Amino acid sequence: PRVRVYLYNKNAYSTQVEYKPIRSVLVANRGEIAIRVFRACTELGIKSVAIYSEQDKMHMHRQKADESYLVGKGLPPVEAYLNIPEIIRVCKENDVDAVHPGYGFLSERSDFAQAVIDAGLRFIGPSPKVVQQMGDKVAARIAAIEAGVPIVPGTDGPVTTKEEALEFCKKHGLPVIFKAAYGGGGRGMRVVRKMDEVEEMFMRASSEAKAAFGNGAMFIEKFIERPRHIEVQLLGDKAGNVVHLYERDCSVQRRHQKVVEIAPAPRLPQEVRDKMTEAAVRLAQHVGYENAGTVEFLCDESGNFYFIEVNARLQVEHTVTEEITGIDLVQSQIRVAEGMTLPELGYTQDKIKPRGYAIQCRVTTEDPANDFQPSTGRLEVFRSGEGMGIRLDSASAFAGAIISPYYDSLLVKIISHASDLQSSASKMNRALREFRIRGVKTNIPFLLNVLENQKFLHGVLDTYFIDEHPQLFK
Ligand code: ADP
């Protein structure tokens, strides 16, 4: 191992960064994201190692790695990928030296990051301390305040009684949003607009949260009307350098879950973009953020923006950022974990320039004609849309694949890239129409309706978009 001293940080502290190449990466995940990481490994000449559950014995991600190992024998499908001791054992027995968590599963668990490090392996992500801090809503909000980043007014901690809820609403006014303190992924949220409904809605939301997440504690925040969801992609290294890779607009959401993502955010005034990206970098530097991460904001019509959370991991929609910047985020994650610095990788802020517009559609095996119920079974026919400006990231998208009910319903991520938003949308539209899928239902008809919507094509978006356009469901 080489030891070098860097003096890149503007705050002028010197940090010793040890460079130690990674030879073998285990991906503690499945599906398209596991394959995404294996591909980056192969391109870098690094061995890729998969784990798979019994239910995934025939799954594609297993075939795409150099080696694969069964975990969680006899366990339910999801638990296999959450079994920390077994994952560490597979690493130890097979000469693995780094672990990539992907998204979901263990990716936001600081105890997992710690267990990986304690086993003498490298964790491809931020330090356990930062994963912990960013995963704790209260701690993350405190860090944002310290870094001078605006936050949505909200309770200082989880609220458990209807009296406390009422007190907050009286003090800050309505509307508010109740969020399950232990929820996530857009689930367990409820907007309240009338004072005489606060107590009853709180009790209902809290008991739903208890049933779904095992704990009824809630956060309460001021509800921002007609917000855009805009998030900033960051990359940090071990020497304390942080750059942003511009932003994504993820306002096209169904039930607070992202459906279509765009980079960069259309019609975002340059001044707001500058302030937002600076705020995100400031927050990351404040907490000593290393590796890839995202700072999420809500932005109102006047251009005010508010921090909502940090995702201390790679996100599903990282692809659109890769398309506009030309930077491979997963390769960068691995390089940074090896001890390479951003300037060494050529990523100084002035060199990172966005080009054109990229759109990602999440094609899911859900039936839009039947309230997006999951559709499972055998994919009898599968032909994909391809061609210039189209990228496909998938795992089980081929004729003969079995779509199981055990995991999430993401079938393929389609990413289009072109010089402007309309051209990018028209490539996406054309590619979606080329798809031929029989055997399971998909949300493609719904996605096509979104792509043909005039507001979408002009980038006039906020999180009400889907709800306000019932014709999208036809
Ligand atoms: P999760 O952690 O479950 O993904 P987030 O806090 O990231 O939840 O919020 C998900 C989405 O919910 C946001 O993109 C936005 O559409 C909506 N949302 C969350 N908080 C607020 C708020 N205070 N005001 C308005 N909308 C909100």
Side-chain angles (χ1 to χ4, degrees), residues 35 71 76 152 193 279 294 296 301 335 391 413 416 444:
I35 294 177
V71 293
V152 192
R193 296 181 176 277
T294 302
E296 298 190 333
E301 284 167 307
R335 287 307 193 208
R391 161 179 170 183
K413 303 194 307 202
S416 63
I444 288 179

Side-chain angles (χ1 to χ4, degrees), residues 179 184-186 221-224 229 253 256 296 298 309 463:
K179 297 184 178 182
E221 281 173 14
K222 267 301 267 194
F223 182 71
I224 312 293
H229 174 120
Q253 303 178 348
H256 305 299
E296 298 190 333
L298 294 178
E309 65 174 356
T463 62

Side-chain angles (χ1 to χ4, degrees), residues 249-431:
D249 185 311
C250 310
S251 302
V252 180
Q253 303 178 348
R254 193 182 145 262
R255 300 198 176 147
H256 305 299
Q257 288 176 29
K258 300 162 187 167
V259 181
V260 179
E261 296 104 342
I262 308 171
R267 303 169 76 116
L268 185 68
Q270 190 56 39
E271 188 200 323
V272 179
R273 169 175 294 124
D274 290 344
K275 281 197 194 145
M276 206 182 258
T277 50
E278 274 163 29
V281 170
R282 223 165 41 233
L283 175 55
Q285 275 176 335
H286 178 70
V287 300
Y289 200 97
E290 178 205 324
N291 218 285
T294 302
V295 183
E296 298 190 333
F297 296 101
L298 294 178
C299 187
D300 71 17
E301 284 167 307
S302 331
N304 302 310
F305 59 86
Y306 308 91
F307 165 81
I308 43 173
E309 65 174 356
V310 173
N311 284 145
R313 54 172 171 81
L314 193 66
Q315 284 185 293
V316 181
E317 62 273 23
H318 74 277
T319 54
V320 287
T321 298
E322 295 184 319
E323 294 307 312
I324 62 157
T325 59
I327 292 176
D328 186 313
L329 273 166
V330 182
Q331 284 193 10
S332 307
Q333 287 190 292
I334 297 171
R335 287 307 193 208
V336 163
E338 290 183 316
M340 294 260 284
T341 65
L342 297 176
E344 273 186 305
L345 288 165
Y347 305 154
T348 48
Q349 195 65 63
D350 58 313
K351 294 212 185 99
I352 303 170
K353 296 263 186 287
R355 201 178 58 84
Y357 278 85
I359 303 172
Q360 173 176 278
C361 284
R362 302 187 188 196
V363 176
T364 57
T365 46
E366 292 173 334
D367 184 0
N370 183 16
D371 196 30
F372 291 85
Q373 286 301 306
S375 171
T376 58
R378 188 173 188 273
L379 265 181
E380 299 296 345
V381 173
F382 182 87
R383 270 185 286 139
S384 57
E386 290 157 13
M388 183 190 172
I390 294 296
R391 161 179 170 183
L392 304 178
D393 278 28
S394 74
S396 46
F398 55 92
I402 304 294
I403 307 303
S404 81
Y406 304 127
Y407 301 101
D408 78 17
S409 55
L410 185 61
L411 178 68
V412 47
K413 303 194 307 202
I414 311 181
I415 303 100
S416 63
H417 185 214
S419 55
D420 56 68
L421 182 64
Q422 282 82 7
S423 320
S424 192
S426 97
K427 279 189 187 295
M428 179 66 81
N429 190 318
R430 187 270 303 155

Side-chain angles (χ1 to χ4, degrees), residues 10 15 39 60 63 70 83 128 130 135 167 219 225 268 282 288 299 319 334 377 386 401 403 446 448 453:
K10 265 200 265 141
T15 316
R39 286 178 170 150
M60 184 62 118
Q63 319 297 328
L70 175 67
N83 193 327
V130 168
E167 196 189 308
F219 285 106
E225 299 278 13
L268 185 68
R282 223 165 41 233
C299 187
T319 54
I334 297 171
E386 290 157 13
I403 307 303
F446 174 74
L448 280 169
N453 182 280

Side-chain angles (χ1 to χ4, degrees), residues 170-197:
K170 283 194 173 142
K171 185 158 166 227
H172 293 275
L174 295 175
V176 297
I177 184 166
F178 294 155
K179 297 184 178 182
Y182 295 87
R187 297 186 308 143
M189 288 192 260
R190 192 178 283 249
V191 181
V192 185
R193 296 181 176 277
K194 293 199 187 108
M195 208 51 93
D196 57 5
E197 286 178 356

